[in-house]
Amino acid sequence: MDKRLITEEVVRVKAKCSDWKEAIHEGAELLVKSGDITREYENAILANFKDLGPYMVIAPRIVLSHARPENGVNSTAMSMVTLETPIEFGSELNDPVTLVVTLAASDNTSHMETLSKLMELFMNAEDMDKIFEASSKEQLLTIINKYKI
């Protein structure tokens, strides 16, 4: 996948959210506006959290929100939102969340390379600290661009 998924249009820094639902909405809204997903996809993410619990909180401070491709994905896309104030998602191990990554995959396989690059980023503590502390889109994108996401 040569196309960069994380661009200025799908990044929000220091979003003010009052709860986990609002945090999920912030990430999904960027992809609704870009036309990559429908509102149905956001609703499916919220339903997954209600039905399955906070399994999407994949690492300390990080939620990777997603649903099935058939739930309203128009094209593979990703958004990234940092939160001004960390939010509890109900994960015993990884709360509170500071970074909301919303992944929309158009099928079951095309996003695997992107996920691999994303995991490489997540495992770099220094770069993750820079993302958590970023005060501008430019600062965040400088880190993201190193990983060609």
Side-chain angles (χ1 to χ4, degrees):
M1 185 175 291
D2 292 339
K3 181 187 150 208
R4 296 274 172 97
L5 295 181
I6 303 290
T7 61
E8 188 174 341
E9 295 75 32
V10 292
V11 168
R12 179 134 189 250
V13 176
K14 302 292 183 194
K16 292 178 173 77
C17 299
S18 59
D19 62 20
W20 68 269
K21 291 177 188 173
E22 197 174 331
I24 294 295
H25 173 74
E26 286 293 326
E29 185 63 22
L30 294 168
L31 298 179
V32 169
K33 285 182 180 174
S34 68
D36 293 307
I37 65 170
T38 66
R39 189 67 62 201
E40 177 190 357
Y41 192 74
E42 177 182 351
N43 293 335
I45 293 170
L46 293 170
N48 282 347
F49 265 101
K50 286 178 187 157
D51 296 343
L52 306 171
Y55 77 97
M56 291 184 227
V57 184
I58 59 166
R61 304 173 71 182
I62 303 168
V63 64
L64 180 61
S65 66
H66 60 280
R68 303 272 317 141
E70 61 270 16
N71 291 128
V73 176
N74 296 324
S75 57
T76 298
M78 189 182 305
S79 69
M80 193 170 280
V81 176
T82 62
L83 303 174
E84 183 177 81
T85 305
I87 291 179
E88 298 286 327
F89 272 69
S91 171
E92 225 173 277
L93 292 174
N94 297 319
D95 270 349
V97 168
T98 308
L99 177 66
V100 179
V101 177
T102 304
L103 174 64
S106 59
D107 59 43
N108 291 326
T109 58
S110 64
H111 62 290
M112 292 304 181
E113 182 182 340
T114 298
L115 269 182
S116 175
K117 292 175 184 176
L118 196 60
M119 293 307 135
E120 188 181 331
L121 165 64
F122 290 168
M123 290 188 289
N124 185 317
E126 185 179 326
D127 282 347
M128 286 309 301
D129 284 342
K130 289 177 185 174
I131 284 178
F132 294 140
E133 296 163 12
S135 58
S136 70
K137 287 183 180 187
E138 293 74 23
Q139 288 174 328
L140 192 142
L141 287 168
T142 296
I143 301 300
I144 298 301
N145 288 338
K146 286 173 43 178
Y147 296 86
K148 297 179 173 46
I149 300 173

